Amino acid sequence: YLLFVVTDDMQKNEQTESAHCDLGDSVKIVFDSDHNGGMGYRGHDFEMGICVNRAGNVVFHRWVEQGKYIGVNPPWPVAVFVARKENDKQTIYQLALPLNYLRLKSEAGHKFGFSFIVNDQDAGAAVEKAIGASPGVGNPPYPSLFGEGRLGH
């Protein structure tokens, strides 16, 4: 399960096409499931993004699945919830990602690469700033720079 509580004075994402959901306020999540690092995606790498646009619609996209860029956004096999709490100036992102979907071995101690960025767009037509857990999410992707996750019991 992933939970992001993003405090932002202004929610802005004009995108309606899922492939561009990361061009406004959004969260981008990346996994290097087989922890093989390197530069560029391969193996069991994933890159996905999620946002809520100005119409209040949840928009999500997978750019990379199983280490390959995909041209079509298939249905997500995950439970997703996104809501904007305007009074609190917060956007809540909740995702339930099955281990088998991410190709993570269901064994205690299994290591994997993981990172994310939270994009912020207050004006203009694109993201102005972002904050993340580790470098490597940008262009080009660099899974060797992702943080390390480890499955517990």
Side-chain angles (χ1 to χ4, degrees), residues 6-9 11 83-91:
V6 178
T7 301
D8 187 357
D9 61 336
Q11 166 68 31
R84 174 70 178 173
K85 293 182 171 183
E86 195 57 47
N87 288 342
D88 297 330
K89 303 293 185 193
Q90 292 182 331
T91 305

Side-chain angles (χ1 to χ4, degrees), residues 48-96:
M48 55 193 81
I50 187 165
C51 73
V52 59
N53 66 16
R54 77 172 165 190
N57 298 322
V58 175
V59 180
F60 42 86
H61 194 84
R62 288 181 290 177
W63 293 277
V64 176
E65 183 174 272
Q66 293 297 316
K68 297 182 174 98
Y69 286 90
I70 54 177
V72 178
N73 188 29
W76 271 37
V78 300
V80 175
F81 171 80
V82 182
R84 174 70 178 173
K85 293 182 171 183
E86 195 57 47
N87 288 342
D88 297 330
K89 303 293 185 193
Q90 292 182 331
T91 305
I92 312 299
Y93 300 86
Q94 295 176 328
L95 297 96

Side-chain angles (χ1 to χ4, degrees), residues 69-139:
Y69 286 90
I70 54 177
V72 178
N73 188 29
W76 271 37
V78 300
V80 175
F81 171 80
V82 182
R84 174 70 178 173
K85 293 182 171 183
E86 195 57 47
N87 288 342
D88 297 330
K89 303 293 185 193
Q90 292 182 331
T91 305
I92 312 299
Y93 300 86
Q94 295 176 328
L95 297 96
L97 299 166
L99 293 181
N100 63 349
Y101 165 68
L102 294 172
R103 302 295 191 257
L104 289 173
K105 294 178 185 173
S106 182
E107 56 189 48
H110 176 74
K111 295 179 185 177
F112 57 94
F114 170 74
S115 194
F116 66 88
I117 56 173
V118 176
N119 293 311
D120 186 30
Q121 174 192 12
D122 288 337
V127 169
E128 299 162 328
K129 53 193 172 269
I131 188 167
S134 64
V137 181
N139 198 6

Side-chain angles (χ1 to χ4, degrees), residues 2-22:
L2 296 174
L3 170 66
F4 298 90
V5 179
V6 178
T7 301
D8 187 357
D9 61 336
M10 184 172 132
Q11 166 68 31
K12 184 173 183 191
N13 193 312
E14 305 293 324
Q15 304 306 315
T16 56
E17 293 184 35
S18 65
H20 304 295
C21 72
D22 63 331

